[in-house]
Amino acid sequence: SIYAPRLTGTQSLDIFIGGNPNLAEVDLSALKAAGSVSILNNPALQTLSAPNLVDGGSVCIGDDINQPSLDADLSSLVTGSFAVFSPCYGRTDPFTNQLNAT
């Protein structure tokens, strides 16, 4: 698990979490802003919690093939864009019921 309870972030922060075959949980609950957020190639990832992330910059969350069991909470995300390259959700409209984003 990755647990960062005090990381609030800035628009110059780039977050990359990838290539972790046994990673099951990422908790970024305090994160409010980032220049980019990339979380992909973590096939065992089940939970991504970033409910306070308002400005994510460029966001890449691995899709349902890349991270098939992922339940992600990006419920406050209002600024930024989903990346448009594979395996990110942004190449088509994201599955908002899986990502819990608006």
Side-chain angles (χ1 to χ4, degrees):
S1 293
I2 294 175
Y3 180 60
R6 295 183 183 173
L7 179 66
T8 57
T10 67
Q11 291 179 337
S12 62
L13 175 68
D14 293 323
I15 295 173
F16 179 84
I17 300 170
N20 301 288
N22 299 314
L23 180 64
E25 179 180 7
V26 174
D27 186 336
L28 302 172
S29 295
L31 187 65
K32 295 180 181 178
S36 68
V37 177
S38 298
I39 300 175
L40 64 153
N41 298 324
N42 304 295
L45 187 60
Q46 296 178 7
T47 305
L48 167 59
S49 179
N52 295 306
L53 180 62
V54 174
D55 184 353
S58 176
V59 178
C60 172
I61 305 298
D63 64 18
D64 58 337
I65 295 168
N66 187 263
Q67 295 173 150
S69 300
L70 180 61
D71 180 16
D73 183 354
L74 301 171
S75 55
S76 295
L77 186 63
V78 293
T79 304
S81 61
F82 283 95
V84 293
F85 56 88
S86 183
C88 305
Y89 267 108
R91 66 183 190 280
T92 60
D93 289 335
F95 295 102
T96 54
N97 60 338
Q98 183 179 8
L99 290 178
N100 194 18
T102 55

